[in-house]
Amino acid sequence: MESLSRLLSGLPDMTFMQKAEKTIQELLSDPLIAKLRAKHPELDEPTLKIHMNRLYQYVTEYRNCSNCPGLDKCPNDFQGHYTRLAVEENAGHTYIHDYKVACKKQLSESTRQAIRSRIRSFYIDDKALEDGYSSEDILLMDLERAQAVSQLQDYIDRTKEDGLQREGLYLVGKFGTGKTFLMCYMLHQLAQQGLTGVIVYMPDFVEDLKAMIAEPQRLKETVELMKETDLLVFDDIGAENLNPWARDHVMGAILNYRMNRKPTFFTSNYELDALEQHFSFTSRDGEEEFKGQRIMDRIRPFVSVITVGGYNKRGAGKTL
């Protein structure tokens, strides 16, 4: 921000005292300073002149905020903040102190960042987690999924009122109906209540697990994160190329830990019975019906199924 001394140097050619007096009078006649003086009659002109730099910054930043160019282009000394003044008397003398206050845009951005920091995503486009859509936006986008949106909103409201649930949700439907987005919406809503969340795209996650075998610390940290987070979403489960180790020692361990503790959520194109068949077959060991049943015993009793109807929004270029 332009300093008072720099402003004085840019005035037309005149003596320094003339420049200073002209600037001082303009500043003292500013409506903002007049309002300050009306509130604090003890502020005489000599006192004001002693604190001219503070007065100048106060007025300048107020004007900047009145014509806000946006948080990214904030011209104030401290981005997203403006100067406020406080007047106090001490030992018979009057003093003006300045302090910084966050503007509404900064407060909103800080809140957004705090919410977003509570959600971790693996192999998921972050856009759906960034945008704070309303339930009305989601509902009106596709009325064919109205029942699913209503059921999801009921779950969100119940969690907000009663706290973290033990039961999760299983969203099933055709390709592109917005199941992933609905889960991102839920995470965003509940992160506002202070809950943490993780969403992981299963096909890429299972592929990445192969690399994690050589990185045991990374594997341990990832599994622990998924175990401990308040809300865990396995997105597009059933679409992964499963192997026994990923199924039994990673998925199984996570689900075994979370059941009866914290809710786990799933999106899938498969009904639960079809998902069990998927888990009963691996590319290495072939048919293992018992193993499929075992992992489904950690899913089926701990979810409510929501069928997501509607049309394929990917083909229509939609995001919701």
Side-chain angles (χ1 to χ4, degrees):
M1 186 186 72
E2 184 183 35
S3 67
L4 184 57
S5 60
R6 194 167 184 177
L7 176 69
L8 291 173
S9 66
L11 290 176
D13 189 27
M14 58 180 73
T15 66
F16 179 83
M17 291 302 298
Q18 287 176 315
K19 293 179 182 180
E21 188 60 30
K22 183 177 186 295
T23 301
I24 288 170
Q25 292 308 314
E26 288 177 353
L27 190 56
L28 293 179
S29 64
D30 188 279
L32 209 57
I33 302 304
K35 186 177 180 180
L36 179 71
R37 297 182 73 175
K39 184 178 180 180
H40 297 280
E42 67 274 21
L43 286 174
D44 54 22
E45 193 161 306
T47 300
L48 291 169
K49 288 183 177 180
I50 292 173
H51 298 92
M52 286 304 295
N53 278 331
R54 290 189 174 92
L55 298 181
Y56 176 74
Q57 188 165 11
Y58 173 53
V59 170
T60 301
E61 293 194 348
Y62 179 86
R63 289 173 181 165
N64 290 341
C65 290
S66 298
N67 300 283
C68 178
L71 194 58
D72 291 343
K73 298 180 180 179
C74 176
N76 290 349
D77 282 353
F78 186 12
Q79 186 182 63
H81 295 72
Y82 58 94
T83 297
R84 295 287 297 272
L85 298 179
V87 178
E88 69 171 33
E89 291 191 58
N90 186 12
H93 297 284
T94 302
Y95 299 92
I96 299 175
H97 301 286
D98 59 343
Y99 59 97
K100 297 293 185 180
V101 177
C103 69
K104 291 181 179 179
K105 286 185 173 63
Q106 179 62 47
L107 291 173
S108 177
E109 174 62 14
S110 297
T111 300
R112 187 195 68 78
Q113 290 180 1
I115 292 170
R116 185 63 187 86
S117 69
R118 299 185 188 114
I119 306 172
R120 289 284 303 276
S121 63
F122 291 85
Y123 327 105
I124 295 284
D125 184 356
D126 283 347
K127 185 179 185 301
L129 294 167
E130 296 285 348
D131 297 324
Y133 293 100
S134 69
S135 58
E136 289 78 12
D137 292 333
I138 298 170
L139 178 63
L140 294 175
M141 179 63 199
D142 187 351
L143 293 177
E144 290 184 38
R145 68 181 185 191
Q147 184 176 356
V149 173
S150 177
Q151 290 175 282
L152 179 64
Q153 191 61 54
D154 286 345
Y155 184 92
I156 292 170
D157 293 341
R158 189 164 67 251
T159 302
K160 288 180 177 180
E161 183 175 344
D162 302 332
L164 195 63
Q165 308 290 298
R166 290 190 176 183
E167 183 183 73
L169 300 173
Y170 188 90
L171 271 59
V172 60
K174 296 178 181 179
F175 293 101
T177 52
K179 300 182 294 295
T180 302
F181 180 83
L182 292 178
M183 285 290 92
C184 289
Y185 167 73
M186 179 197 71
L187 291 177
H188 189 275
Q189 288 289 307
L190 295 179
Q192 295 179 48
Q193 306 300 306
L195 297 179
T196 59
V198 170
I199 181 168
V200 52
Y201 181 60
M202 282 300 293
D204 287 350
F205 175 57
V206 170
E207 286 301 309
D208 200 23
L209 282 174
K210 298 174 184 177
M212 289 190 202
I213 295 176
E215 302 177 70
Q217 185 60 33
R218 180 185 168 211
L219 176 62
K220 180 181 178 181
E221 291 173 355
T222 301
V223 170
E224 287 301 313
L225 175 65
M226 293 182 183
K227 283 181 177 180
E228 297 294 347
T229 189
D230 295 325
L231 310 158
L232 174 62
V233 180
F234 286 119
D235 183 49
D236 208 6
I237 194 167
E240 67 280 349
N241 183 18
L242 207 59
N243 60 68
W245 175 74
R247 178 192 61 194
D248 302 332
H249 298 287
V250 180
M251 282 283 297
I254 293 169
L255 292 173
N256 189 65
Y257 181 86
R258 292 184 64 84
M259 63 181 185
N260 285 322
R261 284 190 179 95
K262 295 180 179 182
T264 307
F265 306 82
F266 306 85
T267 76
S268 184
N269 301 317
Y270 291 93
E271 300 288 347
L272 287 172
D273 288 344
L275 184 66
E276 182 171 335
Q277 292 179 3
H278 167 72
F279 282 134
S280 298
F281 184 89
T282 63
S283 56
R284 193 187 75 181
D285 294 345
E287 190 75 25
E288 294 182 296
E289 184 177 347
F290 172 73
K291 295 291 183 67
Q293 291 176 348
R294 185 179 182 186
I295 200 164
M296 288 306 296
D297 285 345
R298 289 157 174 75
I299 296 177
R300 188 181 276 110
F302 303 101
V303 293
S304 291
V305 177
I306 296 179
T307 300
V308 182
Y311 63 90
N312 187 339
K313 295 158 193 64
R314 295 173 189 164
K318 302 294 184 180
T319 58
L320 300 185

